[in-house]
Amino acid sequence: MVYDMTRGNPLKIILSFSVPMLIGNIFQQVYNFVDAAVVGRFVGAEALAAVGATSTIITVMICLMMGLTNGAGIIISQCFGSHNFDEMRKTVTGLVYIIVILSAATSAAGIIFSHAILNLLSTPEQVMEDAVKYVNIIFAFTIGTAMYNASGALLRSLGDSRTPLYALILSSLLNVALDLLFVVVFDMGVAGAAAATGAAQIVSAAFCIVHIIRRRRQLNLEGITFKTTSLAVGRIFTTGLPAALESCLISLGTMSVQRLVNSFGAMTMAAYTAAVKIDTVAIAPIISIGTSLSVFAGQNMGAGNIERIKKGLYQTLAALICICVVLAAVIVIFRQQLLGIFLDKTEAAEAIIIGSRYLTIVCVAYIVAAVMRSYLNVLRGAGDVNTSAVSGIVELAGRIMFAYILVNYLGSTGIWIATPIAWAMGASVPVIRYYSGKWKNKKLV
């Protein structure tokens, strides 16, 4: 199904389009959520700490690839809005070549340098072996993650947010089954959790690719060839690199925070890992609605409808603020019960206390995150992609500076407080840029 977002009520279109993505994002988090729950409950807190120690490495290593995927999605949505289907097909071909090459390079680099990077992050020796084992298996399956994100970005940019959802539901159910089989039945430990995740990601990618091939006529991809142009490839890099840089910078900030967290020992590491899993699921509505807003802005930018983009932003932002208030309230009330999913209340009581403190501090700043993501996604969809990199630099600086300052006075609590401060600093960049009006002439195609 191809969805035209240049007509109809903006908020209704954005929200309805975001619902499958929201469900999909939640299912996507189920990969890591189930890994953490199964490992934490059936292997132990130290094994959970090992899995958590690898998350920032994985994110940093694949952010370039994901940024390029999202950049291509912006171009595709603008091509669709302007009915430039020939250029759209060239962009899709260029994206396939880029993703295949970068997947191979990312897998090799991740496996070769994983131990050295974990050492740099001050990963405790007692969790090092499991951490290396987990991250190496995840990197071996990079192609699955890459191809799912590429095909998912293509489908969403054309208005199909349901097929990526169906793929994730299928792969998430498979992931749960394989997790239980490999970890609980076969006693494979963290290696089993990683293998389950990698296999499930391959399935989700295959599902989307088969759908694209079968529905190529409806998607205006009929007649696509293996030929692309340097202009199409260059445009993908020009559009995707700033978003990739933003993701890398945010991940580097997270990696710096992880190093501080690791210095407090296994209990704090386990608390942080569990709390971040909950936090990631909680902010899924912000991410999903923001992505929907980016597609909306891209299609309407291609159609030259600036006023419609503005209306969509303000309506969406109002809805997001209401959602964030509800989310924060639920997390504050049930934070200990949520952490109990991952951590045993008797053996890891200290970790639950630390994790509860993290969730209380971070969730009250969800509104700030919503403002940042809304304005950034409108600018990104409109083609004003460099703002993402600037925002990422500002957020990185704030996260590192305040985390390393506050930890000296407040211990691990200072690390948690640095996160909302960094969000506020990052949010100032797209807000200022939006009201300058300079984004209005950044159309890509």
Side-chain angles (χ1 to χ4, degrees), residues 112-134:
I112 291 170
F113 297 110
S114 59
H115 193 282
I117 297 173
L118 285 165
N119 268 329
L120 184 64
L121 292 174
S122 302
T123 303
E125 192 60 37
Q126 66 264 33
V127 304
M128 177 64 79
E129 183 180 352
D130 276 345
V132 171
K133 190 182 301 181
Y134 183 88

Side-chain angles (χ1 to χ4, degrees), residues 202-238:
I202 293 289
V203 170
S204 65
F207 186 95
C208 288
I209 292 170
V210 169
H211 176 83
I212 290 171
I213 293 172
R214 293 180 62 184
R215 300 298 177 90
R216 57 189 180 275
R217 177 170 297 179
Q218 294 94 321
L219 296 172
N220 294 296
L221 294 175
E222 186 73 83
I224 192 170
T225 67
F226 291 105
K227 295 181 179 179
T228 185
T229 63
S230 58
L231 175 62
V233 172
R235 189 181 284 142
I236 292 172
F237 277 101
T238 301

Side-chain angles (χ1 to χ4, degrees), residues 288-331:
S288 301
I289 295 173
T291 302
S292 180
L293 190 56
S294 178
V295 176
F296 174 85
Q299 289 195 13
N300 282 280
M301 193 69 176
N305 199 339
I306 299 295
E307 291 304 313
R308 182 172 170 80
I309 295 174
K310 293 181 179 180
K311 184 177 180 181
L313 168 63
Y314 296 138
Q315 290 181 347
T316 302
L317 194 55
L320 272 175
I321 290 173
C322 296
I323 292 171
C324 289
V325 170
V326 174
L327 284 172
V330 170
I331 289 176

Side-chain angles (χ1 to χ4, degrees), residues 377-416:
N377 276 294
V378 163
L379 297 178
R380 188 177 292 130
D384 191 7
V385 293
N386 291 328
T387 304
S388 294
V390 178
S391 178
I393 292 171
V394 172
E395 185 177 346
L396 170 67
R399 186 181 295 268
I400 294 176
M401 179 176 65
F402 284 102
Y404 277 82
I405 291 174
L406 294 176
V407 74
N408 294 314
Y409 302 98
L410 302 172
S412 62
T413 302
I415 306 175
W416 319 148

Side-chain angles (χ1 to χ4, degrees), residues 108-250:
I111 293 171
I112 291 170
F113 297 110
S114 59
H115 193 282
I117 297 173
L118 285 165
N119 268 329
L120 184 64
L121 292 174
S122 302
T123 303
E125 192 60 37
Q126 66 264 33
V127 304
M128 177 64 79
E129 183 180 352
D130 276 345
V132 171
K133 190 182 301 181
Y134 183 88
V135 76
N136 283 351
I137 294 173
I138 291 294
F139 273 116
F141 286 95
T142 297
I143 186 65
T145 305
M147 293 308 295
Y148 167 75
N149 279 274
S151 55
L154 166 61
L155 290 167
R156 283 189 292 269
S157 65
L158 297 177
D160 181 1
S161 58
R162 293 186 179 184
T163 300
L165 167 62
Y166 300 150
L168 278 173
I169 291 174
L170 173 63
S171 61
S172 295
L173 293 175
L174 177 62
N175 187 49
V176 171
L178 292 178
D179 257 323
L180 295 173
L181 178 65
F182 294 161
V183 177
V184 181
V185 178
F186 293 161
D187 195 25
M188 293 173 60
V190 296
T197 297
Q201 289 171 339
I202 293 289
V203 170
S204 65
F207 186 95
C208 288
I209 292 170
V210 169
H211 176 83
I212 290 171
I213 293 172
R214 293 180 62 184
R215 300 298 177 90
R216 57 189 180 275
R217 177 170 297 179
Q218 294 94 321
L219 296 172
N220 294 296
L221 294 175
E222 186 73 83
I224 192 170
T225 67
F226 291 105
K227 295 181 179 179
T228 185
T229 63
S230 58
L231 175 62
V233 172
R235 189 181 284 142
I236 292 172
F237 277 101
T238 301
T239 308
L241 283 177
L245 179 58
E246 178 205 5
S247 298
C248 284
L249 291 172
I250 292 173

